[in-house]
Amino acid sequence: MSHSSGHPAKPPLKMGLAIPNSKLCMWLFLGTEIMFFTAFIGTYLVLRLGSPDWPSDVADTHINVRLGGLNTFVLIFSSYMVVVAHEAMTLKDFGKAKKSLWITFVCGIVFMGVKGVEYYGKISHDIVPGHIAETEDQALRKLVNEFRESRDEMGRALFVPGEDGEVPDLSKISVALRGELSGATDESRKADLQAFVKLEDRLQNSFLIVETDPEGHQILSSDQARIEAARVAFSKLEKAATAAKELHAAAIAKAADENREAPADPGIVDPVPPTIIGLSAAVRRELLPLFEASHESVDREAGHHLNLHITGLLDEMRSEENARIAAFFSVHDPHPIKYGNVFASTYFIMTGFHAIHVIVGLILFAIVLKQGPALDEKWTDFVENSGLYWHFVDLVWIFLFPLIYIIKF
C-alpha cells in the first residue's frame, strides 16, 4: 500500500485586495480628486491670508450664509439617502433603492438650483472676475463705460437703417436720431428719441453745473431745473450781446455813409457760458475722489458732492419716469472692492468645479434610475461606487462652506 509523501496542495496565490476592481479604481480616482481640490483650497488660504483687506462685507461679496447652510444640509441628507440606497441594493429591495436614489437626485437638483440663485446674485451685481473695480479710479471709469455702453445699445435699438441696410458708426447714429427728433410726429417714436437724447445729454453735457458762490467757492449741482435756468439766462445775455453788436455795427455804417465820426465802442462783453458738464467730463476732469477722499484734501467736500450727484443720476435713470431709458440702462453702482477680482476668481473656481462634480454625480444616479424595473443586483457595485463619489462631493462642500461663507481670517 503506497502512501503519498507530498504536501497538501496550497490554494493559488492571488494578488490584490479583496474588493472589486471597480471599487479600487474609484478609490484611486478619489485620491487624485483630493489632491485636485487641495490645490484649490491651499491657494485660496494663501491668497486670503496674504490679503488683509479681503472682502468680507455681504454688501460687497453677496455671500448668503443661509443659502450656503441650506445647501450643506441638502448634501448631508443626500449622502444619507445614498447609504440607504446601497443597503437596499444589498438586501435586493430594489424598490426602496430607487426611491432613495430619487431623493438623492432631487437633493442634487435642489443644490444646483440654490447655487444658481447665488451665482445670479453675483453676476447681476457684476461680481465677476475681471469686471470688479478695485480702486476709486477704476470705479469711476467703469461707471462711465457702462453708461456709454447703455447709450450705444439704446442708439442701435432705435436707429432704423435705410434702404441699403447699412448701419453707420455710433457717432453718426446719434446725429441721425437727434435730427429725426426735430421732425418726429409719432408720439411713441418721439418719446423714445427724447429719452435717448436725455440719456446722451447726461453722459455728455447736462449732468452737473459748476457755479461760484458769493464767497468765491465752487459749488456743484445736478438740479436739471437749475441747469436749464442757467442755459436760458445765458441765451438771453447772448442774444442781447448779439443785438447790441449788430446795433453798433449799423451805427458805424450809418456814420460812414453820413461822413460822421464813428460812435465810440460801447464795450460789449460776450457773456460767459455756464459750466455745464456731463458725467464723462466729470470723471475725466477728476473732480476729486468719489470715495474716501484723504483728510488732507481741500476738495474732500467736492468729492462728497460728486458722490451724491452720481447717486441721484443713477436713481433718475432707473425711475419710472425714465422707463424707456431703464430698459437699456445696465449701469452698476460705482463701488470699489479691494481684492475683488481675486475673491471672485477663487470663489467661482472652487464652487464651479464642485458644481461640475455635483452634475457628474447626478448623471451617475440618472444612469441607475434609467434602468427602471430592470434594476437588479448587477447594479449593486455601481450604486456603491456612485455613493463613494457622492460622499466625496459632500465632504468637499463641508470644507468649502465654512472657508468661504463663515470663517473670517
Side-chain angles (χ1 to χ4, degrees):
M1 183 175 181
S2 61
H3 298 279
S4 174
S5 60
H7 297 287
K10 295 182 179 180
L13 181 64
K14 293 184 177 181
M15 304 298 291
L17 300 174
I19 59 175
N21 290 337
S22 60
K23 189 173 183 179
L24 176 61
C25 288
M26 177 57 70
W27 278 114
L28 292 174
F29 170 72
L30 293 181
T32 64
E33 289 292 278
I34 290 173
M35 292 185 286
F36 180 78
F37 277 100
T38 298
F40 285 146
I41 294 175
T43 302
Y44 170 77
L45 290 174
V46 170
L47 290 173
R48 183 159 182 175
L49 291 172
S51 307
D53 295 322
W54 186 269
S56 58
D57 190 344
V58 175
D60 294 337
T61 62
H62 295 276
I63 291 287
N64 193 317
V65 178
R66 292 184 178 180
L67 290 180
L70 172 62
N71 264 352
T72 303
F73 170 79
V74 167
L75 278 188
I76 292 175
F77 178 70
S78 68
S79 285
Y80 166 73
M81 295 311 300
V82 167
V83 174
V84 173
H86 178 246
E87 182 183 20
M89 290 292 292
T90 58
L91 298 175
K92 299 184 179 182
D93 188 349
F94 304 117
K96 183 179 180 181
K98 282 189 290 186
K99 288 181 181 179
S100 300
L101 288 177
W102 268 116
I103 294 175
T104 302
F105 187 85
V106 171
C107 286
I109 296 297
V110 170
F111 179 91
M112 293 303 298
V114 173
K115 183 55 61 180
V117 171
E118 289 190 274
Y119 277 14
Y120 175 78
K122 290 170 181 59
I123 294 172
S124 63
H125 289 87
D126 211 25
I127 309 297
V128 179
H131 288 215
I132 302 173
E134 299 190 1
T135 65
E136 300 163 5
D137 181 66
Q138 289 177 0
L140 287 169
R141 293 179 185 278
K142 179 181 178 181
L143 173 70
V144 174
N145 288 335
E146 291 181 339
F147 211 104
R148 187 176 293 117
E149 289 168 0
S150 299
R151 184 272 314 270
D152 295 344
E153 181 182 355
M154 188 174 185
R156 290 192 191 96
L158 294 180
F159 181 76
V160 180
E163 294 181 357
D164 56 1
E166 183 179 354
V167 179
D169 58 42
L170 293 168
S171 61
K172 293 181 180 179
I173 287 179
S174 174
V175 173
L177 293 178
R178 285 178 176 270
E180 183 184 348
L181 176 60
S182 60
T185 55
D186 181 82
E187 291 300 322
S188 178
R189 178 66 175 174
K190 186 176 182 179
D192 285 336
L193 295 173
Q194 288 174 335
F196 171 77
V197 169
K198 184 175 185 179
L199 177 61
E200 188 170 59
D201 280 348
R202 294 297 184 272
L203 179 64
Q204 301 297 344
N205 56 14
S206 66
F207 167 52
L208 285 174
I209 182 171
V210 183
E211 300 175 306
T212 304
D213 64 13
E215 298 178 357
H217 300 128
Q218 278 193 333
I219 57 175
L220 307 174
S221 174
S222 59
D223 184 354
Q224 298 305 307
R226 193 167 179 174
I227 291 175
E228 188 58 31
R231 280 182 169 152
V232 170
F234 170 73
S235 179
K236 290 180 178 179
L237 292 174
E238 188 178 37
K239 288 179 180 178
T242 301
K245 289 179 181 179
E246 291 175 351
L247 185 62
H248 179 61
I252 292 176
K254 185 176 181 181
D257 290 340
E258 297 176 354
N259 292 321
R260 292 185 294 104
E261 184 180 353
D265 185 356
I268 302 172
V269 179
D270 290 329
V272 178
T275 305
I276 301 173
I277 61 176
L279 177 64
S280 296
V283 174
R284 187 169 59 252
R285 285 180 173 199
E286 299 178 16
L287 283 185
L288 319 172
L290 176 60
F291 311 95
E292 298 181 358
S294 65
H295 291 287
E296 294 78 19
S297 172
V298 296
D299 298 315
R300 180 180 177 83
E301 191 64 25
H304 174 66
H305 285 318
L306 183 60
N307 186 13
L308 294 178
H309 295 317
I310 287 179
T311 301
L313 173 67
L314 296 180
D315 291 341
E316 176 193 4
M317 295 295 100
R318 296 165 180 161
S319 64
E320 293 184 7
E321 177 186 356
N322 294 310
R324 295 174 186 271
I325 293 177
F328 302 93
F329 197 71
S330 55
V331 179
H332 299 87
D333 295 335
H335 186 54
I337 305 175
K338 194 173 183 181
Y339 299 114
N341 289 296
V342 179
F343 157 76
S345 297
T346 55
Y347 173 83
F348 279 106
I349 285 176
M350 291 192 295
T351 61
F353 272 107
H354 178 265
I356 292 174
H357 282 69
V358 172
I359 293 173
V360 171
L362 292 177
I363 293 173
L364 294 176
F365 295 136
I367 292 173
V368 179
L369 293 172
K370 187 179 179 181
Q371 305 308 310
L375 184 66
D376 55 25
E377 63 273 7
K378 291 185 298 184
W379 289 90
T380 301
D381 288 346
F382 189 94
V383 171
E384 182 181 14
N385 294 330
S386 300
L388 287 174
Y389 174 84
W390 195 252
H391 293 324
F392 169 77
V393 171
D394 185 12
L395 184 63
V396 170
W397 182 254
I398 289 175
F399 277 95
L400 294 182
F401 173 61
L403 286 175
I404 298 176
Y405 289 76
I406 299 178
I407 300 176
K408 295 184 179 181
F409 295 85

